[in-house]
Amino acid sequence: MSDTPVQTSATVLTVRQVGDYHALTAVAPGVAERFRPGQFVALAVGGEHTSRLARRCVAVHEVKSDYGGTVEMVFAVRDPGTRWLAGLRSRDRLDVAGPLGRPFRLPRDPVGCLLVGGGPGAAGLFALADTLHRRGCQVHFVLAGATSRQVFGSRMAQRIGDSATVATEDGSLGEKATLREVLPRVIEETASDVVYGCGPTSLLRTVTRIAGDVGLPSQVSVEEFLQQTGACGIGVCMTCVLPFHGDDGVTRMVRACTEGPVLRGDRVRWGDLGTIPFDALGAPRVLHTRPVPERDDVTDRAREEAQ
């Protein structure tokens, strides 16, 4: 099967609410056949005659062979476009492009893997867990959120993981703790060899720092950053760029949708997200003399009009 993504008109099977998120399952055979863990899909929103041009990039939770190939996607309602997605019904049509982006790199030998997730992006961990298990790896989960409604997949993690730790800031599910408090302990208890992260940018920053402190490699999916900034999903619009250290030590701006969404956590310049650092290759000289805005105001206005 070719790795080339496809654009297809998918048939919606179900849309269900899961805590604060929605899970949408659609028949999309070409997408399901090509999918690898860590990739995402870009959904057109608003219907055939809509003025909303920006696609919504969402995480893939699961693919199955049912009906020739189904894809379940998980997302939060953030804007009019995702609200439209949440309102779809069985047999509605949905324009889907995917699978897109770079997937997780998989270990060649069986190792201990720690999968850390939060928010709707945690959905992307479960296809990865299945693949790692088939390679003989041990799979441990840490899921974290502010409340129980913001933790996706806790029951599934407990069912399929070799261990599963859940932490919420208000104590409504699992331990009353933050990710920063539980992650070092779990890394030590599980003797993990590699850490994978999916979820909010703040979670990925914490995963990368703690993994680095104990000398473990980390792979992270910048799913939230892509959702907030991406408009096309295929690398054309250039709205989802972020600063990234290359093998040669040079910072370049890479696209979350194309060079990512899975990146080496220790190579992302987390403190400079939303900016073009003055030392990045090709950065405008004017950035030496004035601060860089956190977001491109022109891009923001364009996205608001498209919504």
Side-chain angles (χ1 to χ4, degrees), residues 30 35 39 59 80-81 127 140 192 202 206 265 275 283 291 294 300:
F35 173 76
Q39 292 182 301
H140 306 278
S192 296
S202 58
T206 298
T275 74
E294 291 190 2
D300 285 347

Side-chain angles (χ1 to χ4, degrees), residues 39 61 130 176 213 227 236 251 298:
Q39 292 182 301
H61 174 224
D130 180 62
K176 184 176 182 179
D213 287 346
Q227 284 194 358
V236 174
T251 294
V298 175

